[in-house]
Amino acid sequence: MPEPSVDQLRAQLRERGYLSHGIERWFALDPFAFGTASRTFWVELLTVALKAAVLIAAFASLTMTAVMVFRNYPLHAFETLGLFAVYAAAWLIVAFAFVVLIALVLKLRPELAIDTPRALLAISMAAATGLSAILALWWYRFDAPSTTIELVVGFGLALVFFLVATLVVSAALLSFSIYELHRIPAIHQKSRGVPMAMAAAVLLGLLFVPAWAARERPVETPMVVTTPTTRRVALVAVDGLTYELFQSRPELVRAFVAAHPAPPVDGESTAERWASVGTGVRTEAHRVRAIAGVRFVGGRHILQRLSRSDVVLRDAAPLLGIVRREPLPPTVRRRDYVWEIFGRYGVPSVAVNWWTSDDQAAIFAEAKGDALRVDALAAQKALSSDARFLTVYLPALDVILNRLELDRSAQLAMSVRALDGVAATIATLRARGYDVVLAGLPGEGQQGRAIVAGTLSLAAPSTPYDVAPTLVSLLGFPLSDEMPGKSLAGASVERIVSYGNRVQTTATTTANDEYYENLRSLGYIR
């Protein structure tokens, strides 16, 4: 049987709708020839790549937009359309470059001969798998696990995207088949939907297994043996309090038996640094980072749940002025604070005003932008408790020194009042029979060293990571291997492997607009 000519193959492809804009002509031209041939080559190739990229971008951005709507419901139509547009623009660039690269490799490297339609199909599916891997990585990098309905809808749309990407890439490679092999790939001769769907399901299943595993992984509850103790312990956490400021206040120095400087804790945000102090584990374990939401310019809702690999919304869109980044308190945490561990094992414990605490939003709202009142309300609530362990987070000093625009005299007067409030809180706790541990960290952009002090004898800390192990040992609990610090109280060094994942009933907590306005009034959002 004679081999079909290029014209015959073109006629067949035209019947199938592939030749609406000369989809195969670029391959017969020389990209490096002078004159019309070279210009025509690049025009045809770039046209083909653009058409392929438009289809790929449309289906990829549809999948990502659907996931974001599930994650950030409710959204207005304007915000949903904005999501689709920014994702589509990013995918258009990526897919366009990707198709051009594949085509040029096949054109310029003739030694890479592919002599079967099956091989062309394999190349197309490999390319689609690579594009799907980008989507899978983006989806996997959300902090909270997916809901069942999100998984079902997202997986279905991702499957469609894989099929479309395979067809589009293979169509873009038709030139190679026509001019080199004188045949049309099998994928374009008859229906290949069933085998392709099966292959796509397997490949995508492998890509999204990590996300499903993270969702279904059971929480391990460790065996913990505690030492009975009647000790009552309080942790006072003061943001913006450095060792140098501590030394400048004689009433604070006199209140403690031991006070030592320590290097600051690394972290992108206030919440991340204090999570490291309160849990005693590094960021890699507790997973609290500089979580940021974004708001479309003119939009009403803040998108609170973003993938950590979302360079489009996190980086590109803010740079172009399409969205504004707005920091959020972390709502996803993989490890318990030490007082949550105490409460789990029967030690009455109270924590007030810590990031992710249930009461912080109410305290910020009642304070109405007054940093000193935040401290006063938090201290009042903490002192109303008589728990075996209690802790309070006092952020006013950091807000006054580092976040609000105040003249020097007002800043000095307010910071003195904040420190007086800290001293009064510590004095009251001591009078009630608590052993008090004071932890202070430099605030946002603030110079100075951290401070760890105690109304009982404490060894010099290596880092503020020593605070949590010290509290754990004072209440008769073992340390965990995940804690890089040591006990400063000279107690037992017994350790367990881990206290396990945080036990939580909901994946995330959505903050309302009033809370954001309160954060803005305190200088956390600019």
Side-chain angles (χ1 to χ4, degrees), residues 323-338:
V323 303
R324 294 192 306 269
R325 294 188 63 177
E326 301 195 11
L328 306 174
T331 55
V332 176
R333 182 161 36 88
R334 293 290 182 88
R335 293 293 182 270
D336 284 320
Y337 286 123
V338 290

Side-chain angles (χ1 to χ4, degrees), residues 143-209:
D143 289 295
S146 303
T147 61
T148 301
I149 187 171
E150 178 196 325
L151 281 171
V152 171
V153 174
F155 185 85
L157 290 173
L159 178 61
V160 173
F161 166 69
F162 179 91
L163 296 173
V164 169
T166 301
L167 288 168
V168 168
V169 173
S170 65
L173 299 180
L174 284 175
S175 301
F176 184 88
S177 180
I178 291 174
Y179 285 95
E180 292 294 310
L181 307 180
H182 292 276
R183 66 184 67 173
I184 298 175
I187 189 176
H188 300 289
Q189 291 178 359
K190 56 184 178 180
S191 174
R192 294 287 177 175
V194 174
M196 283 181 58
M198 293 176 61
V202 172
L203 289 171
L204 288 173
L206 292 175
L207 289 172
F208 292 110
V209 158

Side-chain angles (χ1 to χ4, degrees), residues 49-67:
L50 182 60
K51 292 172 66 176
V54 167
L55 286 172
I56 291 172
F59 283 89
S61 55
L62 179 63
T63 305
M64 295 176 72
T65 301
V67 171

Side-chain angles (χ1 to χ4, degrees), residues 95-393:
F96 178 80
F98 192 64
V99 173
V100 169
L101 177 63
I102 293 176
L104 287 178
V105 168
L106 292 177
K107 171 65 179 176
L108 301 177
R109 299 294 297 274
E111 65 272 16
L112 300 176
I114 304 172
D115 56 3
T116 64
R118 185 177 299 173
L120 282 176
L121 176 59
I123 289 178
S124 301
M125 295 189 70
T129 301
L131 293 171
S132 298
I134 298 174
L135 185 62
L137 176 64
W138 171 85
W139 200 357
Y140 175 62
R141 292 278 289 165
F142 279 94
D143 289 295
S146 303
T147 61
T148 301
I149 187 171
E150 178 196 325
L151 281 171
V152 171
V153 174
F155 185 85
L157 290 173
L159 178 61
V160 173
F161 166 69
F162 179 91
L163 296 173
V164 169
T166 301
L167 288 168
V168 168
V169 173
S170 65
L173 299 180
L174 284 175
S175 301
F176 184 88
S177 180
I178 291 174
Y179 285 95
E180 292 294 310
L181 307 180
H182 292 276
R183 66 184 67 173
I184 298 175
I187 189 176
H188 300 289
Q189 291 178 359
K190 56 184 178 180
S191 174
R192 294 287 177 175
V194 174
M196 283 181 58
M198 293 176 61
V202 172
L203 289 171
L204 288 173
L206 292 175
L207 289 172
F208 292 110
V209 158
W212 181 264
R215 179 179 182 271
E216 295 297 320
R217 185 169 51 204
V219 175
E220 297 181 3
T221 303
M223 293 291 295
V224 176
V225 178
T226 63
T227 302
T229 176
T230 59
R231 189 188 297 269
R232 303 170 75 205
V233 180
L235 169 65
V236 178
V238 185
D239 206 357
L241 179 62
T242 63
Y243 181 75
E244 290 74 19
L245 280 173
F246 175 87
Q247 290 290 342
S248 70
R249 303 289 295 182
E251 68 276 19
L252 281 177
V253 174
R254 289 193 298 268
F256 293 95
V257 173
H260 305 283
V265 174
D266 293 331
E268 298 179 15
S269 69
T270 296
E272 177 181 344
R273 292 188 289 271
W274 282 105
S276 295
V277 173
T279 61
V281 303
R282 299 189 188 279
T283 299
E284 296 75 26
H286 65 63
R287 298 289 181 90
V288 174
R289 299 181 186 271
I291 298 179
V294 298
R295 188 200 300 267
F296 279 95
V297 174
R300 295 179 56 187
H301 297 95
I302 295 177
L303 306 182
Q304 301 184 34
R305 301 179 179 95
L306 302 178
S307 168
R308 295 195 183 279
S309 296
D310 198 331
V311 296
V312 177
L313 288 181
R314 286 180 177 273
D315 302 305
L319 188 64
L320 296 173
I322 300 171
V323 303
R324 294 192 306 269
R325 294 188 63 177
E326 301 195 11
L328 306 174
T331 55
V332 176
R333 182 161 36 88
R334 293 290 182 88
R335 293 293 182 270
D336 284 320
Y337 286 123
V338 290
W339 46 89
E340 292 173 321
I341 295 173
F342 300 155
R344 194 195 314 169
Y345 291 97
V347 176
S349 302
V350 171
V352 178
N353 201 41
W354 279 79
W355 295 101
T356 73
S357 295
D358 293 336
D359 59 6
Q360 189 183 68
I363 290 173
F364 279 12
E366 187 174 349
K368 300 184 184 303
D370 185 341
L372 292 173
R373 183 155 173 75
V374 171
D375 273 17
L377 291 169
Q380 180 181 359
K381 181 172 182 179
L383 293 173
S384 67
S385 170
D386 194 37
R388 282 265 312 280
F389 178 89
L390 66 83
T391 180
V392 59
Y393 171 74

